[in-house]
Amino acid sequence: MKIVSTVAEVREYVKTWKKQNKSVGLVPTMGYLHEGHGSLITKAREQNDKVVVSIFVNPMQFGPKEDLESYPRDLDKDAAFCEELGADLIFHPEPEEMYHKGFSSFVDMTVLTEELCGLSRPVHFRGVCTVVSKLFNIVTPDRAYFGEKDAQQLAVIRHMADDLNMDIEIVGCPIIREEDGLAKSSRNTYLSKEERQAALILSKAVRLAKEMMENGEKDCLKIISAMKELIEAEPLARIDYVKIVDQLTMQQVEIIDRPVLCAIAVYIGKTRLIDNVYAG
Ligand code: PAF
């Protein structure tokens, strides 16, 4: 496995692979890898001849008051993890390599980013769409892998790839959870022992929604109220949103009469965590 930091080096590797008719899978990440990322790399390994993992904490997708500076980083550990899972190449650029002086082109999206995280994090998806488009142009993969924990991001990237005729298969992979239910996330590392325990309220709320929907509840207000009541009983939790949206458009629905996504964002102390469940 090689680690490179320039666009030119990635292009050189990919050019050689394509000449040999090898398929290429891309796993875009911001590093500090865990088993959630591991499942994406493993899937990419199964489906492609070559696997590229990008590790780049993308400044453009963080708002001014967000955790860009404190976002956890550990390249050596990440490299060992990727090697173990059989990745072929890590692309680890500096911000200046991705955004040269005078950078002024962006990929923006409307409807799908109006709700959920798009509402709470206004610049986030513009940053995600821009960096993912750049990674697609640099690596030119056949397939790209994203986790369902960031369900809105996955829907946005699928939509972007379709809108902009990107000839790349977008593969979504299920949420990977800790044994006690907490969805794996690089941000879990911010949690104190007490907060780690309190964070279980997210998976409990999502499980409650799943049970209600499986038992035939169609009224979104009822489901959302029950979830909010459960979360509000946890003293360390503060709700950002609890919503049920159409799986494709990410617009809110009142009655479950189509495939939906029930998604939540909750602050545990200062750490904002997300979780979700698909239904319908
Ligand atoms: O999901 C992430 O880690 C990031 O949003 C992504 C897709 C790597 C873009 O920076």
Side-chain angles (χ1 to χ4, degrees), residues 16-51:
T16 309
W17 295 338
K18 297 236 159 151
K19 268 194 202 142
Q20 300 164 347
N21 265 331
K22 306 274 190 214
S23 60
V24 178
L26 169 66
V27 182
T29 81
M30 297 208 300
Y32 216 73
L33 306 177
H34 50 69
E35 286 83 349
H37 300 108
S39 72
L40 308 182
I41 299 171
T42 303
K43 190 81 179 167
R45 181 69 287 157
E46 282 163 21
Q47 296 185 333
N48 303 276
D49 299 315
K50 297 288 175 187
V51 175

Side-chain angles (χ1 to χ4, degrees), residues 28-30 37 56 58 61 124 128 131-132 146 150 153 157:
T29 81
M30 297 208 300
H37 300 108
F56 178 58
N58 173 33
Q61 70 189 70
H124 179 66
V128 169
V131 81
V132 170
F146 298 89
D150 295 291
Q153 169 172 280
I157 289 167

Side-chain angles (χ1 to χ4, degrees), residues 62-108:
F62 288 77
K65 293 197 181 116
E66 293 181 357
D67 56 344
L68 173 61
E69 296 309 325
S70 58
Y71 196 84
R73 294 156 167 93
D74 190 341
L75 182 61
D76 290 344
K77 201 158 155 250
D78 288 348
F81 186 75
C82 290
E83 178 129 54
E84 172 102 347
L85 293 174
D88 296 283
L89 185 67
I90 290 182
F91 176 42
H92 177 59
E94 291 297 325
E96 301 73 42
E97 179 71 6
M98 292 299 273
Y99 302 116
H100 57 73
K101 198 160 169 282
F103 185 92
S104 48
S105 304
F106 302 91
V107 180
D108 221 335

Side-chain angles (χ1 to χ4, degrees), residues 196-255:
R196 169 67 183 75
Q197 194 55 31
L200 291 179
I201 204 65
L202 279 97
S203 51
K204 283 184 188 153
V206 158
R207 222 165 32 237
L208 172 65
K210 187 167 186 279
E211 273 163 28
M212 288 179 80
M213 292 189 281
E214 279 172 1
N215 288 335
E217 183 57 68
K218 300 267 180 232
D219 185 339
C220 294
L221 255 186
K222 278 195 189 151
I223 300 168
I224 290 170
S225 302
M227 292 172 81
K228 282 188 170 169
E229 199 181 318
L230 183 71
I231 299 168
E232 280 160 0
E234 168 51 63
L236 295 181
R238 182 168 56 84
I239 293 174
D240 178 5
Y241 64 73
V242 175
K243 285 186 181 166
I244 299 180
V245 297
D246 180 297
Q247 256 176 46
L248 290 178
T249 65
M250 297 285 123
Q251 298 293 299
Q252 286 192 72
V253 297
E254 287 173 9
I255 295 292

